[in-house]
Amino acid sequence: MPMKSLLSLLFGLLLVLGSASAQELAPDAMVRQVTEDVLTVVRQDKDIQSGNTRKAIDLVESKVLPYFNFQRMTALAVGVDWKKATPEQKKRLSEEFKTLLVRTYSNALTSYKNQTVVYKPSKVAAGDAEAVVKTEIVQPGNRPVQLDYSLEKLGDSWKVYDVIVAGVSLVTNYRDTFKQEVSNNGIDGLITMLSNRNKQLESGRK
């Protein structure tokens, strides 16, 4: 299955995490409830299906951003070089990486097709601060693909800090590219690279 389709499911899953009932559920129950609610919405949204990336971005920005830990996601992507960054550089990196993920996944959301989700048993004990929710994406004519969500509990809510597609972390998948850029041009060079990429995505959106 194309990575874009998998990414569309990821953000489709999280479009309505703003509901209080979703926050109060255990992470595995939350994934199930939100997934089913959101897939229904996405299937009915003709604008998004026809490629309206601006509408997809608006949905992601209004519903998803509060439920992601983008600083941790950025630190994971940057790896050991994260320690070299100043507080201001860390802030800029997190902002640019957040924009990159939102725009990339919003574009992917417009490619959603009629995949279905199989939920696998999860073991989350009371008091756990982290959890992995495992699902499987099924599409006729293709092999099922494992899609796992890594979440952490911050205060009273769960936040996503990574997604693993077929055993590959979507966040750390950026690490080699980021490491090479920092090696060549420093932290500021990485910030510039991310900024330029975001400008390209902005100019190409519908």
Side-chain angles (χ1 to χ4, degrees):
M1 186 189 305
M3 181 66 75
K4 285 183 66 177
S5 295
L6 293 170
L7 295 176
S8 71
L9 282 172
L10 160 64
F11 271 84
L13 163 68
L14 295 159
L15 283 178
V16 294
L17 275 179
S19 67
S21 60
Q23 292 183 46
E24 293 165 0
L25 293 173
D28 52 348
M30 180 189 72
V31 166
R32 178 185 292 271
Q33 174 181 307
V34 173
T35 299
E36 297 307 316
D37 289 346
V38 169
L39 292 185
T40 298
V41 172
V42 173
R43 290 178 187 126
Q44 295 174 350
D45 195 315
K46 301 303 182 184
D47 288 338
I48 291 178
Q49 292 176 20
S50 65
N52 189 328
T53 306
R54 180 66 264 171
K55 188 171 183 180
I57 289 174
D58 289 343
L59 284 169
V60 171
E61 289 180 342
S62 64
K63 300 296 186 181
V64 173
L65 297 193
Y67 302 95
F68 270 68
N69 184 346
F70 281 104
Q71 178 158 317
R72 182 169 180 181
M73 294 176 81
T74 308
L76 287 171
V78 176
V80 295
D81 290 321
W82 181 254
K83 296 179 180 179
K84 301 177 183 178
T86 66
E88 179 60 27
Q89 287 174 324
K90 289 178 179 179
K91 180 180 177 182
R92 289 284 312 283
L93 282 170
S94 296
E95 290 173 348
E96 294 293 348
F97 192 48
K98 175 181 70 176
T99 300
L100 175 63
L101 292 177
V102 168
R103 287 178 176 165
T104 299
Y105 298 160
S106 296
N107 286 338
L109 187 60
T110 64
S111 301
Y112 172 77
K113 302 301 180 185
N114 289 322
Q115 297 93 345
T116 58
V117 182
V118 175
Y119 305 94
K120 297 193 173 183
S122 299
K123 295 181 179 179
V124 183
D128 283 354
E130 297 206 359
V132 176
V133 176
K134 297 184 177 183
T135 69
E136 192 173 74
I137 310 304
V138 179
Q139 180 175 318
N142 292 279
R143 295 180 61 183
V145 177
Q146 185 77 20
L147 186 63
D148 300 338
Y149 300 87
S150 297
L151 304 97
E152 62 179 343
K153 195 167 189 179
L154 296 176
D156 294 329
S157 63
W158 288 92
K159 295 196 177 187
V160 174
Y161 67 86
D162 199 7
V163 181
I164 299 89
V165 179
V168 178
S169 161
L170 292 183
V171 173
T172 58
N173 193 45
Y174 288 92
R175 187 172 291 166
D176 288 344
T177 300
F178 287 7
K179 181 178 181 180
Q180 186 64 48
E181 184 63 31
V182 172
S183 177
N184 292 337
N185 299 302
I187 296 293
D188 285 336
L190 177 58
I191 293 171
T192 298
M193 184 191 80
L194 290 171
S195 177
N196 289 339
R197 178 56 180 154
N198 287 330
K199 290 175 183 176
Q200 291 173 359
L201 291 172
E202 173 72 15
S203 63
R205 81 176 189 213
K206 295 183 180 180

